Amino acid sequence: MSNGPVVVLTALNLEYQAVRQRLVDLQPHRHKHGTRFEVGTVRGTSCRVALGLASKGNNSAAVIAERAIQEFSPVAVLFVGVAGALWDTARLGDVVIATHVYAYHGGTSEDDGLKSRPRVWEAPHGLSQLASHLARLNDWADPTPGHEGVPQVRFGAIAAGEVVQNSRISTEAQWIRQHYNDALAIEMEAAGVAQAGHLSGAPVAIIRGISDRADGTKNSADDRNWQPRAAANAAAFAARLAVELVVEHEETAMSGDDKAHSADQFGRRVTNTAHNSTIGIMAGTVTGSNVHMTAVPKAPGPMDLVAELNRFRERLGRHLAEETLDEDTYREALTDLDSAIRSVGATTPESSKRTVMTLKRLRGLVAEHPALSAELAPMVAAAGDLA
């Protein structure tokens, strides 16, 4: 289980500053390839946040999101900023949380027209449930002097493309209305971040404040007035969500520790039974008739994990033979498995981290196969313990 921070990424400096204002004790963090982050805590809490600027576009957002996930092994990734509303379904200043993300530019051009071939990523169930809970509590928004009405939180699809959408009547607008009319908002980064999270096994939430209506009025004076307010609203909800994610993560970790004595490092149930036997124990101290135990659990060894990974390889082969796993996924999974096995033996902090990230990526790759994904979870935890 990750002990990392919550990663928050934005596309614009205005959005970055809106999040940054909610953090304290900021320290710079430089990735080895030059990407700069700031790591701090949400004001008044112990929630750690790694904040980064991804720049515009799905491609850039995907690269920086993947880099942040590998660098920090985060509890979750939140992409925070502004977006345009579609079909007047959301008011200016409202916050839209993506239940799923459309990469709407996929298609095939044929003699009878352009046919849609979208990709879609659903938000993780637990993360969506937590966001819905916080929206019902309705205690996240900052009071805004001089403005009536509290921003609402809306849940629905977000469309992510590769161009700035600013028309109701353009060919692009008609295409979106025809094929993606359930989308509440439109922007240019969510698909890249969602894909990076999917492949890396990191939960992702897309949080957007509505700053315009994508209807030809973008860059107007009214739009410039709403951008900072929409960014501030998205940042406020993201900060609240980040805090609750960390609290929930810590509670889950504590619950797992309570149950750890009944399972080995790979999650297999262990039962010890003695009948009419004399049992020898090693005690830390003995006071009267009370024995005070000092347990020293055995750390998982590299060969234990290698053996589990090789057994997992056999299970992948069975899924391929049963045609429940396609050939491309199988080959990608074998590549990740080989990479993980090679890095297990080094047992250094860097190699351990590399193994964890490779196994997380593998878990994302087989996410559509719950049985396989569940088998990888204890291996990820065991890999983190090796160093």
Side-chain angles (χ1 to χ4, degrees), residues 260-271 304 307-308 311 378:
H261 67 278
S262 62
D264 69 4
Q265 68 266 30
F266 297 112
R268 296 173 299 217
R269 186 173 179 179
V270 176
T271 303
D304 297 327
E308 286 296 314
R311 278 190 282 270

Side-chain angles (χ1 to χ4, degrees), residues 278-284 286 291-293:
T278 300
I279 302 174
I281 61 172
M282 294 187 67
V286 179
V291 179
H292 305 276
M293 299 296 298

Side-chain angles (χ1 to χ4, degrees), residues 32-202:
K32 63 182 180 180
H33 293 309
T35 305
R36 290 186 175 271
F37 300 90
E38 289 187 284
V39 180
T41 57
V42 176
R43 192 182 307 277
T45 76
S46 59
C47 171
R48 293 174 60 240
V49 168
L51 177 61
L53 185 68
S55 192
K56 297 179 183 179
N58 287 297
N59 291 336
S60 175
V63 171
I64 300 303
E66 172 76 7
R67 186 164 291 179
I69 292 167
Q70 290 193 11
E71 187 76 358
F72 297 106
S73 298
V75 172
V77 177
L78 312 183
F79 203 87
V80 181
V82 300
L86 292 173
W87 340 127
D88 298 326
T89 51
R91 304 175 308 174
L92 296 179
D94 282 354
V95 173
V96 174
I97 312 295
T99 55
H100 50 292
V101 174
Y102 293 128
Y104 69 81
H105 268 124
T108 175
S109 179
E110 300 182 8
D111 290 344
D112 57 346
L114 184 62
K115 306 297 178 62
S116 176
R117 285 188 178 178
R119 296 198 66 185
V120 61
W121 296 267
E122 288 196 14
H125 176 68
L127 214 162
S128 291
Q129 288 284 296
L130 180 57
S132 296
H133 172 69
L134 296 179
R136 288 191 293 271
L137 293 180
N138 201 28
D139 61 355
W140 59 271
D142 291 333
T144 309
H147 298 106
E148 296 183 359
V150 176
Q152 296 182 22
V153 181
R154 301 177 182 273
F155 294 83
I158 287 181
E162 306 299 335
V163 300
V164 176
Q165 178 61 26
N166 191 29
S167 172
R168 284 182 179 270
I169 61 174
S170 67
T171 302
E172 185 96 3
Q174 294 173 19
W175 166 263
I176 295 167
R177 180 177 285 279
Q178 179 181 359
H179 297 284
Y180 307 96
N181 56 49
D182 62 331
L184 300 183
I186 188 166
E187 43 93 298
M188 298 172 61
E189 291 83 29
V193 179
Q195 173 74 344
H198 171 70
L199 293 180
S200 301

Side-chain angles (χ1 to χ4, degrees), residues 188-337:
M188 298 172 61
E189 291 83 29
V193 179
Q195 173 74 344
H198 171 70
L199 293 180
S200 301
V204 168
I206 308 298
I207 304 170
R208 293 296 198 176
I210 298 300
S211 62
D212 64 84
R213 300 198 181 282
D215 60 355
T217 60
K218 191 183 291 290
N219 300 321
S220 67
D222 194 43
D223 176 46
R224 289 191 294 272
N225 176 50
W226 274 105
Q227 257 205 352
R229 290 165 61 183
N233 289 345
F237 191 87
R240 182 77 167 86
L241 180 59
V243 171
E244 291 301 317
L245 279 168
V246 169
V247 170
E248 191 173 84
H249 180 77
E250 291 174 347
E251 289 175 349
T252 302
M254 291 177 63
S255 175
D257 288 343
D258 291 341
K259 298 176 182 179
H261 67 278
S262 62
D264 69 4
Q265 68 266 30
F266 297 112
R268 296 173 299 217
R269 186 173 179 179
V270 176
T271 303
N272 295 317
T273 306
H275 298 287
N276 300 321
S277 302
T278 300
I279 302 174
I281 61 172
M282 294 187 67
T285 58
V286 179
T287 306
S289 60
N290 295 321
V291 179
H292 305 276
M293 299 296 298
T294 304
V296 183
K298 180 183 178 182
M303 295 312 297
D304 297 327
L305 182 54
V306 169
E308 286 296 314
L309 292 172
N310 282 322
R311 278 190 282 270
F312 187 78
R313 183 195 302 274
E314 295 173 2
R315 287 188 284 274
L316 282 174
R318 287 199 295 271
H319 277 264
L320 177 66
E322 295 167 0
E323 298 185 350
T324 58
L325 191 69
D326 63 83
E327 182 74 27
D328 289 341
T329 302
Y330 175 73
R331 292 187 181 280
E332 289 186 48
L334 289 187
T335 299
D336 283 341
L337 267 178

